[in-house]
Amino acid sequence: MADSEVIAGLDIGTDRIRVLVAEYDIRGKLVVSGWGESRSEGMRKGIVVNIEAAREAVLKAVEAAEHEAGRTVTELWTALGGASVDSLNSRGVVAVSGKNREIGEADVERVLDAARAVVIPMDRDILHVLPQEYIIDDQGGVRNPMDMIGVRLEAEVHIVTASVSAIKNIEKAIERADYKLGDVALGSLASARALLNDDEKEMGVLVIDIGASSTDFILVHGGAPRVTGSVPVGGAQASSDLSIVLNTSLDSAERIKCESGCCWDALADAEEPVIIPGVGGRPPVPVPVTELCRILQPRMEEIFRIVRKKIEKTSGNAGISAGVVLTGGGALLPGVADVASGVFNQSVRIGNPRSSVEWPEACRDSRWSTAAGLILLGDAVKSGGNNGENTAFTEESVNPLKGLMKWLGEFF
Ligand SMILES: Nc1ncnc2c1ncn2[C@@H]1O[C@H](COP(=O)(O)OP(=O)(O)OP(=O)(O)O)[C@@H](O)[C@H]1O
Ligand SMILES: [Mg+2]
């Protein structure tokens, strides 16, 4: 099999770099054949700040995945999130051009062009233009306007922009590691693809990816992304809180949080104490898990409150009747779903990559959602947009920074 038929998804996080490699078996079924992980270096808040260090960390993770897959990867699909991305909703209007007023491809292209014609700062570029709905002669809610008859065609879209330098620096780190940047997707969009089913997307669902340095979110409603954004707080701040209050090193605090942490009192084992190593020759101190809850809960609650506030500002809370899905490493903290449920007043589940593809045993938890989503997006592109499920982006949502791919079909 040619290496060009290999799909590799690279999730460059602030804490970890994760890579999944997939290929097609003889029946054309997508099979994940390798995975790799490395401790992230040269990144701060989702942005490359040291290209050489990032190159090495990327290389380590990709080589591990290549080794397991027995394949050479040439191109890496990657994700971007955190403060380097921004978004807005926009609308475009055109007159239908065809003789008999039948809407054709050219009309759809023109209306999306009109919708994307917004003023964007010089240092940013458009990452995605995601159609939400089309309106034909004031008749809204149209998903696919092709071949319909009308005079006036409008499109409502969600535009995602990214810092040009953030992308260029990722590209540089990848190229120095001797790979090619395939394309860049919004991280939460990739995660959503790996996590959500059609009913959730239709009814309205909020996906929250709790990373180390940032918490990214995407609200999907009526089958399309409505709000996307990011909060510059994540699991690292929770660990830092523990380290300050318990007077222990950051490394110990991080380990204690991951091994014994809990942020919901009712789930904490009141009997079993956690041993906190002392710093500077101080003796270790036993602390009850309920004490960890007391420190971690307010931080997680704060993260969710900020997300809620940001969403309310844009769309109100009405659009998430299918509840909230938590993902990313921070979703592994016991009790986090209870905290989120209290803040959003919604049912909350932890999102692990969907089982439509068999993920390696080690990659079935919420930390792998973004990398898994990148593989699914790559698959949607390679298989022309439909592999038995609703698919990736429209052609117009191609990342214009690269312009390499044609993502056909509808995103959701
Ligand atoms: N078992 C666990 N319990 C609690 N927290 C955990 C656990 N495992 C990982 N985490 C936390 O998840 C966070 C890392 O999540 P993730 O790997 O998704 O981040 P990242 O993608 O590298 O970072 P970012 O998305 O912010 O760039 C860390 O703060 C870590 O402490
Ligand atoms: Mg992440």
Side-chain angles (χ1 to χ4, degrees), residues 114-354:
R116 74 191 297 160
V118 287
V119 179
I120 288 164
M122 293 276 285
D123 58 350
R124 304 191 73 79
D125 222 332
I126 292 177
L127 199 59
H128 303 299
V129 178
L130 302 160
Q132 296 170 328
E133 66 169 294
Y134 295 91
I135 302 150
I136 303 169
D137 296 343
D138 296 326
Q139 177 68 51
V142 178
R143 292 281 168 81
N144 182 1
M146 286 291 286
D147 302 334
M148 291 184 70
I149 308 293
V151 176
R152 175 189 160 97
L153 174 66
E154 292 173 62
E156 286 189 347
V157 300
H158 186 69
I159 298 179
V160 180
T161 69
S163 143
V164 174
S165 60
I167 295 184
K168 289 284 169 212
N169 285 328
I170 284 185
E171 186 169 25
K172 211 161 170 186
I174 288 175
E175 282 179 354
R176 284 217 190 148
D178 260 347
Y179 298 103
K180 229 169 69 189
L181 178 64
D183 219 314
V184 184
L186 175 67
S188 58
L189 195 66
S191 299
R193 183 164 179 92
L195 299 173
L196 302 180
N197 63 43
D198 287 346
D199 286 343
E200 287 176 317
K201 288 180 260 188
E202 207 49 52
M203 290 166 65
V205 62
L206 172 63
V207 175
I208 305 179
D209 177 340
I210 312 165
S213 68
S214 75
T215 299
D216 294 4
F217 57 89
I218 177 167
L219 191 156
V220 181
H221 181 80
R226 304 286 158 172
V227 189
T228 54
S230 178
V231 170
V233 193
Q237 277 79 7
S239 304
S240 161
D241 293 344
L242 274 188
S243 126
I244 292 165
V245 180
L246 300 175
N247 210 356
T248 191
S249 71
L250 251 184
D251 281 352
S252 303
E254 173 72 15
R255 186 179 49 74
I256 289 162
K257 184 188 77 175
C258 294
E259 285 174 6
S260 321
C262 180
C263 62
W264 192 248
D265 231 25
L267 297 179
D269 184 346
E271 304 296 315
E272 194 64 37
V274 179
I275 307 299
I276 312 294
V279 280
R282 292 192 193 89
V285 186
V287 162
V289 179
T290 44
E291 174 71 6
L292 303 187
C293 280
R294 210 179 49 78
I295 302 163
L296 294 171
Q297 182 176 346
R299 175 61 79 178
M300 301 319 288
E301 209 172 291
E302 183 201 29
I303 292 175
F304 295 132
R305 279 188 199 288
I306 305 174
V307 170
R308 193 185 69 184
K309 212 167 181 180
K310 286 200 165 203
I311 286 169
E312 279 171 355
K313 233 164 105 184
T314 327
S315 80
N317 204 11
I320 53 174
S321 43
V324 177
V325 179
L326 302 181
T327 197
L332 293 176
L333 184 67
V336 72
D338 299 277
V339 176
S341 185
V343 172
F344 292 99
N345 201 16
Q346 291 281 347
S347 70
V348 178
R349 71 174 176 92
I350 305 298
N352 303 324
R354 281 189 291 148

Side-chain angles (χ1 to χ4, degrees), residues 11 13 209 211 370:
D11 173 17
D209 177 340
T370 307

Side-chain angles (χ1 to χ4, degrees), residues 82-106:
S84 58
V85 289
D86 203 354
S87 63
L88 70 152
N89 288 330
S90 172
R91 177 185 272 235
V93 190
V94 292
V96 178
S97 61
K99 236 196 333 209
N100 45 8
R101 298 295 175 195
E102 190 176 294
I103 296 166
E105 227 171 273

Side-chain angles (χ1 to χ4, degrees), residues 348-367:
V348 178
R349 71 174 176 92
I350 305 298
N352 303 324
R354 281 189 291 148
S355 53
S356 56
V357 170
E358 196 166 323
W359 308 103
E361 182 108 21
C363 311
R364 289 181 193 162
D365 68 55
S366 61
R367 293 170 299 178

